[in-house]
Amino acid sequence: MRVTQQMLYDNYVRNMNSSLGKLMDLNSQASSMKRINKPSDDPSGMVRVLNHRDTLSAINQYQENIDTAQGWLNASDENLLQVSNIITQAKTLAEQAATGTLTSDNREQISYQVRSLFEQLIGLANLEYDGKSVYAGQKTDGPAFQEILWMSTNDADFAADTGFYIDGDSDTTILIQFYDKTGTLQPGESMSLSNANLGLRFSADGGETFTEMDVPDPAGGQVQIDLAGTGVRLTLTNPAAQVKLTDPANYNDAGGTWLWLRPSAQYMGDDSSDSGDVEVVAMGQGTDQLQSWATGSFGPNMTVRVDGYLSNGSLVRGPVTMGGQTMVYSYSTDGGVNWITGNVQAPNGVASNMSLSISGGLLHIASNGGNVIQAGSQFFVHARSSAIEIAISSTEKVRINEVGMDIFGGVYQDPDRTVDANGNRIHLSSQNSTVAFSKNGSSMLAGSNASPTKNLLEAMGNLIGFLETNNQGGIQNALASLTLAQEHVLNAAASVGGRENRLEVASTILDGLEYNENERISSIEDADMSELLTALSQQEIIYKAVLQSSSTIMQMSLLNYV
Amino acid sequence: MFGPNSILDMAKGALLAHQACIQVTGENISNVDTPGYARRAVTLAEAGVINYTPGQVGLGVEATEVVRYFDKMVERLYYDQSALASRWDTTYASLSSVETMFNESDGYGISNSLSKFFTAWSNLSQSPEDTGSRQELLNSTDTLCSLLKQTDADLSKLQQQADEEIAQEVDSANKLIQDIAELNRQLNLYDQPGSNNANNLYDQRASKLRSLSNIMGINVIDNGSGDITVTTEGGQVLVDGVEHYSLEFTAAQTRTALTPSSNFDGEVFFTGNDTYEYTLQCVNDGYVSNGNAAQFRVSIDGGRTWLTDENGQEAHYSARPEDGKINIGGLTIWFGENGDPLGTPTGQMEEGDTFTIIPKKNVYWVKNTSTKENITPLTYANGDDDSKRITSGTLAGLFNFRDNYLGDYQDKLDALSKSLVWEVNRLHSQGAGLEKFGTTVGTYSVAHDDRALGEDSTGLVYGDKLQAGSSMFYVYNADTGLLVSGAALDFSDAAGVQNFDPSAHSLEDVAAAFNRTFNGAVTATIVNHKLQITAEDGYQFAFGTDSTGLTAALGLNTFFQGSTAQDIGINDKVGGDLDFICAGHVNGAGEANSGDNTISLALSELKDKSVRLSTLRDGVTSQTLSGYYNGLVGDVGADVSAAQYNYEFNAALANDLDSRQQETMGVNLDEEMTNLIKFQHAYTAAAKLVTLADEMMQTLLSLKS
């Protein structure tokens, strides 16, 4: 084989370049301590590294989220224990006041303490963490509870007959009694509010002094009673309601209808309609002939779509008759981006309504003029939401706030009835509000038939009312309610505690996952130090050898000898 | 006859012959480093014989010809191999600069900023009303958008550079072709094999052929007596003796190839650009119209495979005139009359009529002014190269780089951007921010206000994602903030709420639906082909659940605007006021509360959701957004790695062949030195012979006197 000059020099240059190139590669690995310095070093390894890095950053974010969640839940936990302490103090005071040996002055003294405990409770219920109300549902920008005046009565019939609302405010409980101005009717008998002979007397100092006045004439379908000198105006909405009369001479006659205007709290926050009917908006041709509602607990963008009916096992996209055909429908939890199709509902033989099973609950459709549902009709389940949830892993979310009404009670104005037809705000009244935990919807303790309630703030308000008006029976009822309320608050605290435990566990798991991810990334990406240094010194030797041998050959030539 | 004169003659012949030998050896030594120099040698032969007594007598030595050492067979093999090595060298070098754009080994890049984008939403879900978190989200989004834009712009720049380099290479190739033809002509004139070998011209031609082969890969056919025909590997003739043809690098064009029975009088027009060659073939006879029209299928690899739609069926498109033009890939396509893009052809398109659209600059082989053949490299879907076109050389490397690699990466970046924008907007447009709207304008426009939004020719970017259903809309009292009414949009005057139908309702219908459902509270108008919604005095509005995708497709209450890697950005409304970032939604009580974080939770969960991403070449895949981009990085890395491997492999083979050629034609100084000594001795000996003959003559002459 002939060897020529150009071949020789080409060879030298090529070999030197190639071993120098390898040396440079190793050098850059050594300076970055990574095996993969660009995607072409290991393409599939690079993809895995990037994917692991994504996971790692997600894990870090979850850890931050858990931190925040722990802050909220810890604050809530401590707070609820504090609330329980206050309830204990209130119970002690109530027990004291319930004994028969106390005078009205004693009860008055206790009432000041209980009023102060009530204010503390409202303060605790308006707990803020990080500038946001913890117990107001999603309305975190305002306080959860507001102090208001509310009414209790000992007359169950009167409570059922009329509604009321209260304007103004008072520092002390106001006691109202009714009597016959003419003195003809006996105490205990009934007289209608619109009766011109009905007189009223009220006391703002616990029953020591009473002011007498006439019951105003009904105006605009209501009876508006301005209690002069107190700053409070009571409006009763049914002028035909009957009140029982008290003995004009006896201020302690319990046979008549007594009204206590005493403090309570209105819940200003958010609720979720887990326990009631969820509003459903129907969209599509023919849906005006149907009625629809849902029950259950749903996410924000729940949509249901009717596809058609099953005929001989295959889908026909046509109108579905309720009760006669098997309906095929789909639903989506993200507003229509992804549909879960192929759900069927067999006919139940009833032609006027049907219920469809969807994620989170049931959708009910009833006939309202027609019972045919067109294919393509859609139903949007518009659920209320109050929970603030934080993601602590890719599959888990934890709620960090509470619905204050469910823990502390209070009075809640129905959000569907806060605005009238002209867009003006409707005043809080007994007809557009519910009292938490109460079954009949109104908040009146009807004498010896009053049953204890878990509604803490209402119970405290009643307690204040009865203490300030020296009513031993009422105080005993309030005491029973306080016991129930305290249990309820401790249950809520336990639920918070349970979530805190979940966070602990999740945090530990995330630590483990983070460690694992870091290890994985390192094993793919990092250069093995000992291997690297060995290769580096090896390559150095190779390069030196190439240089040496090339220079040796280059120097030899026939010209040296001729 | 013998005698001093004949000896003198013989010596003179020897001297001259060996002078020639030394001359040629000297030339070899001088040209030891000249690239492309083939060593020469003198052929010595006996200079004849005379039949005489005492026997046959030679007349000395004669230098008959100067031959050149050259291995034609190895050279032929070398052309092929070096063309391949050049192709991969160019590909590898170009791809290395692309790799730096996608290199995230130090932790910064698009993958990282996508990650940060999703964690910013998760952060926002912790405290939705916090201005700091909102600002952080905007900053992360800004970074992501500008990175996407930057990378896309860089890729485009590289494409332009590739175009410039190709233009230069085509120029060089044309020059070389001319030179080779000229050399052929000179060889015809001067080369007389056996007596006057035009060795220098052969060397020049060989070196020019090597350069040409590096540019585009050639086949050389020896026609004997020094004449050669040079063709491309696909068979197109470049040089034939003294005739030569040329290459041309020209701008985008379209071609029409009608079947013999067709009398179609139109051609295809397009706007936009793309890196694929589109071949359209008619499958159903018909006319060009906006209604029932001829149908055609599309191929991006010259007709081997046809594009399929989302369900895997062959995709058929309708042949539309200019005002109904449709979008396929990166182009907008329509049919017009021959020479008149706005006219409508009257003839019928027959099944089999083929139209080709070449939307990028291509290289053509020019036979004469009316015959041009497209020889730009084309790769089929299975990776094979079209063998009738250029398949190796720098040109193949550059075209491959520009069309296949860069085009592929840009397509994938565009697919990523399109899906990212749609998925985020789809969820975001169903939410509500801290502030309600007084007025808003959509960010996406249509080309025709009165065409159904779901149709291709309407020009709505996300029109194909619209579904039937309806959209909730809420109107509020601006002073009190309380809900006035919330309802689903009603699309017709008929009883009940009529749903939206993307194949029937147009932008005008949508505006009418707003005006009908919320008469007196909001007014919807169409401004600049975009939907604008303005609230009347005293009202504000917010958007709710949308099962159609209308709000996202029209750009109302969206987070992103734009739809490709070039124009992705933050919606101007959101960028101008942080309160319009929707972290929450309008809940069942009709309120949008400040602590509501449901939408931000859903958006942060988007990072784990599989979404649909589609490109023309790879069809539709379902992956997470981060997974898709990370896959793209892997693609780039694998391409670079494969190019490097191919380059090193082919370069090694090319070097090997070159060495073998060098073995034959290279100069070895030691050998030449030895020859020099040999010839010098022979020259000295011949000189001695002259002296001897001279002495003999002297002796004879001195006999007389």
Side-chain angles (χ1 to χ4, degrees), chain A residues 82-112:
Chain A
Q82 228 8 57
V83 167
S84 177
N85 279 342
I86 293 186
I87 300 178
T88 313
Q89 287 180 38
K91 272 171 34 183
T92 320
L93 290 172
E95 276 166 13
Q96 260 189 327
T99 60
T101 52
L102 256 54
T103 66
S104 77
D105 282 331
N106 292 346
R107 293 213 175 91
E108 198 184 319
Q109 285 155 6
I110 296 179
S111 85
Y112 293 139

Side-chain angles (χ1 to χ4, degrees), chain A residues 2-3 5 34 37 40 51 53-54 57 65 68 132 138-139 270 284 301 335 378 380 382-383 389 397, chain B residues 39 99 103-105 126-127 129 426 468 474 497 545-547 588 591 593 595 597 605 630 663 666 668:
Chain A
R2 271 191 79 229
V3 174
Q5 245 48 36
K34 289 194 193 164
N37 287 312
S40 57
N51 283 335
R53 281 199 202 147
D54 282 343
S57 107
N65 286 353
T68 310
K132 298 183 270 257
Q138 284 177 352
K139 295 200 167 107
D270 224 356
N301 288 329
Q378 293 191 3
F380 165 45
H382 203 190
E389 292 183 319
K397 294 201 265 274
Chain B
R39 71 189 165 111
E99 196 184 24
N103 190 1
E104 276 189 60
S105 57
Q126 284 180 24
S127 50
E129 76 297 326
R426 189 72 176 84
Y474 302 95
V497 174
T545 303
D546 179 9
S547 60
E591 306 151 334
N593 294 320
N597 68 353
E605 283 167 15
N630 293 344
E663 274 177 38
N668 183 334

